[in-house]
Amino acid sequence: MDFTFSNEQKIFRDTIYRFCREEVAPLCEESDRKGEFSFEVWRKLGGMGLLGLPIPETYGGAGADFITCCIAGEAMGHAGVDGGHLLALGAHSYLCAANIVEHGTEEQKQKYLPGLATGDDIGCMCLTEPSCGSDAGALLTAAVRKGDKYILNGSKTFITNAPVARVFIVFATLDRSRKHKGITCFIVDRDTPGLSTGNPMHKMGVKCSTTSEVFFEDCEVPAENLLGGEGNGWNIALGGVEWDRSTLLSPFLGNAMFTLESCSRYASERRAFGQPIGEFQSIQNRIADMRVYVEAARLAIYRVAASKDNGARLNPLLASVNKMYVGDKGFEMCSAAVDLFGGYGYIHEYPVERGMRDAKLGQLGGGTSDIMRMIVARAMVGRQK
């Protein structure tokens, strides 16, 4: 496969890179140190049309395909935009808005997508619960049909954007005995009685994304807010996985490119024992390994994105290989960058410290690396039968 960008795609990437490098990245350092979500950063991303990339032009978005969305994510990460704001963008654009694009009725699209496209309304997806993360089929949040409404009771946790969101994509079960087949999806507005959010969680990394629990106590959701039909929630969740294991990984690639450039520059400038540390073979080996990771991660991410743009169904094996490799090797690379910087890599003054904290999420969010290994192993064992 040839993943060489067209001239139009190169211009698109360069435009995003320059804008984020000059206008967005400088704001991210202060926000990360404070551990705060920046509405100023959010407005800038919205003004560039980056919050509505997967939303059709009819509803105010860009109607971008998977590869274009990956290019944007890579460019933002490469420019130095922190992982927190990029995580917030991913939850908003791909886990919330894209699900409405794919499964919503025309009335739902007209009501919700224009505000999500501009970022005036912030979206989130509520799937993970205190008692189940990767085992989503065991979720406990219940939905009961009563006339023209559904009554939701339960709770969610680790929900990105929840404290600031207005549009919630919520997964609940109509019948626990049916496991995955009972899962159903709803669009719930922020001001719906019975919906509340907990205090923002303090995290190791991606500090600029605001995360909390979400609670449903006799929360009445109109029947017209049912998304995709009863019992179709699991398929909708799997659709989110398609975005998660392609487009949502592209900022990690961008962060790796940013880290590689930082390390190469530092190795040329920092001197020890009468010469730049980049003259030492151990440093050269680390930088070479970083470059290999960047190239391999790019191929892995764009391979999945290209297959989706060509209409292929998500390949669980390849997608899991992709997620596991980018998550595990990306964190190893960012940890090696801190080692390369030495004591300076351990303080906030240098960006590799933030990069390592943010990269850790790649091994945890959207399915842990251990779950990815399980999927890969089961697929391989199955092939031998």
Side-chain angles (χ1 to χ4, degrees), residues 120-256:
D120 291 339
D121 296 330
I122 299 177
C124 70
M125 187 180 84
C126 303
L127 178 61
T128 301
E129 298 187 354
S131 60
C132 64
S134 298
D135 185 13
L139 64 82
L140 299 177
T141 298
V144 177
R145 179 72 183 259
K146 289 189 176 181
D148 60 352
K149 298 178 180 179
Y150 290 86
I151 311 300
L152 272 58
N153 281 284
S155 65
K156 304 290 182 177
T157 194
F158 304 135
I159 306 304
T160 300
N161 293 346
V164 295
R166 195 190 77 79
V167 183
F168 294 71
I169 300 296
V170 181
F171 294 85
T173 180
L174 291 173
D175 185 350
R176 284 197 66 203
S177 67
R178 301 190 66 200
K179 298 183 178 180
H180 297 85
K181 294 181 180 180
I183 298 175
T184 301
C185 191
F186 304 88
I187 306 174
V188 185
D189 295 280
R190 176 85 194 194
D191 57 2
T192 304
L195 183 152
S196 62
T197 57
N199 294 324
M201 297 174 172
H202 299 287
K203 306 184 294 295
M204 172 194 295
V206 294
K207 289 187 173 183
C208 299
S209 69
T210 182
T211 306
S212 76
E213 294 177 293
V214 181
F215 305 100
F216 305 94
E217 186 175 354
D218 293 331
C219 181
E220 297 186 359
V221 181
E224 59 263 28
N225 280 33
L226 176 68
L227 183 64
E230 290 189 354
N232 196 41
W234 184 244
N235 291 329
I236 295 175
L238 290 179
V241 168
E242 294 186 350
W243 287 103
D244 182 72
R245 294 173 193 172
S246 58
T247 305
L248 286 174
L249 290 178
S250 61
F252 289 95
L253 169 61
N255 176 55

Side-chain angles (χ1 to χ4, degrees), residues 59-131:
Y59 308 103
D65 57 17
F66 275 78
I67 286 183
T68 301
C69 292
C70 283
I71 292 173
E74 175 192 317
M76 288 186 281
H78 187 194
V81 179
D82 69 284
H85 287 107
L86 293 177
L87 175 63
L89 182 152
H92 166 90
S93 300
Y94 305 119
L95 301 184
C96 178
N99 273 325
I100 297 176
V101 171
E102 182 69 21
H103 303 282
T105 64
E106 182 59 31
E107 291 74 16
Q108 290 171 343
K109 293 176 183 179
Q110 291 182 10
K111 180 178 179 180
Y112 293 105
L113 292 181
L116 293 172
T118 61
D120 291 339
D121 296 330
I122 299 177
C124 70
M125 187 180 84
C126 303
L127 178 61
T128 301
E129 298 187 354
S131 60

Side-chain angles (χ1 to χ4, degrees), residues 267-278:
S268 298
E269 297 171 351
R270 175 69 169 172
R271 298 181 66 85
F273 303 101
Q275 63 183 14
I277 63 172

Side-chain angles (χ1 to χ4, degrees), residues 3-7 9-10 13 67 71 74 298 302:
F3 296 128
T4 302
F5 294 159
S6 66
N7 287 334
Q9 289 172 325
K10 290 178 181 178
R13 189 196 187 284
I67 286 183
I71 292 173
E74 175 192 317
R298 177 182 287 113
Y302 283 102

